[in-house]
Amino acid sequence: MSRFTPLNWPVLRQLRARDPFGRGTPTRSQRTDAITARIEEADRVVKSVCPYCAVGCGQRVYVKDEKVIGIEGDPDSPISRGRLCPKGSASEQLVNSSSRITTIKYRAPGATEWTELDHDQAMDMIADRFMEARRNGWQDVDNQGRRVNRTMGIAGLGGATLDNEENYLIKKLFTAAGAIQIENQARI
């Protein structure tokens, strides 16, 4: 580190270089010159959508060694134009949190502890319960004798963390299964 001298003050360097607004190199220090953005280390940039609400703000996800190292607003997004709310700005913590659960957890009725399930077992349990609820709540005709072909045993609540295409497919699935109680979090 160089020895301090009054001639090396940033204001004097600024005046000598005729930089009255302090926007040029005279006001920069060696430390400032050595700083790089953390996202410069990224191997790739992936475009995504913020998972928090129904607005659908665009995000740029910076990945290094298959790990998310940063998330910022996408200036190409016509919705958010590069801006994110505080929750969207902190969504990197959602991905990299040490308390994030990455396995399927199940707590049986009456149990006090959670157990881990494998993917196939969990999918089979969900499908069995879905079909049983559909079968138990099925109505061919209503109280006035009109054909309705519906189930009152299933309801759907879509989330705003899904995009329009995913919510559309979920709506189609529930309608095909005979459910009529289909709602979305964005409307509630």
Side-chain angles (χ1 to χ4, degrees):
M1 187 162 175
S2 63
R3 213 170 71 99
F4 174 78
T5 68
L7 296 174
N8 210 11
W9 281 355
V11 174
L12 291 177
R13 288 195 321 250
Q14 186 178 333
L15 292 173
R16 279 196 312 255
R18 294 184 179 14
D19 184 15
F21 297 109
R23 296 184 181 147
T25 57
T27 57
R28 295 172 54 163
S29 68
Q30 291 175 346
R31 181 175 174 267
T32 302
D33 287 338
I35 294 174
T36 60
R38 70 184 184 293
I39 57 176
E40 284 184 16
E41 301 172 2
D43 297 330
R44 62 190 165 107
V45 180
V46 180
K47 291 192 178 228
S48 185
V49 177
C50 180
Y52 282 111
C53 74
V55 173
C57 296
Q59 290 183 326
R60 286 186 178 172
V61 180
Y62 295 91
V63 180
K64 180 180 181 176
D65 300 329
E66 297 306 310
K67 184 174 187 236
V68 174
I69 61 169
I71 296 177
E72 63 182 30
D74 184 1
D76 298 332
S77 169
I79 296 166
S80 58
R81 299 185 309 248
R83 298 172 187 88
L84 292 175
C85 71
K87 286 197 301 187
S89 297
S91 57
E92 181 268 335
Q93 296 170 13
L94 175 71
V95 177
N96 292 327
S97 172
S98 60
S99 61
R100 179 180 180 198
I101 296 173
T102 57
T103 58
I104 299 171
K105 302 283 188 182
Y106 172 71
R107 190 174 72 185
T112 58
E113 299 294 322
W114 292 88
T115 58
E116 287 188 14
L117 297 179
D118 65 32
H119 185 265
D120 292 335
Q121 183 182 4
M123 291 300 286
D124 288 343
M125 288 173 68
I126 292 167
D128 291 345
R129 290 173 182 185
F130 186 91
M131 294 306 295
E132 182 183 353
R134 180 179 186 266
R135 198 173 17 260
N136 291 341
W138 188 259
Q139 292 179 330
D140 288 319
V141 293
D142 65 7
N143 296 340
Q144 298 173 354
R146 295 177 293 197
R147 181 164 288 291
V148 289
N149 290 339
R150 67 184 181 195
T151 183
M152 301 302 282
I154 300 171
L157 176 61
T161 60
L162 304 177
D163 60 29
N164 289 341
E165 291 81 11
E166 290 169 311
N167 277 315
Y168 174 77
L169 292 173
I170 290 170
K171 165 77 164 87
K172 295 292 269 184
L173 169 71
F174 276 79
T175 302
I180 59 170
Q181 300 161 330
I182 305 168
E183 191 53 79
N184 189 288
Q185 171 212 336
R187 282 182 13 111
I188 295 177

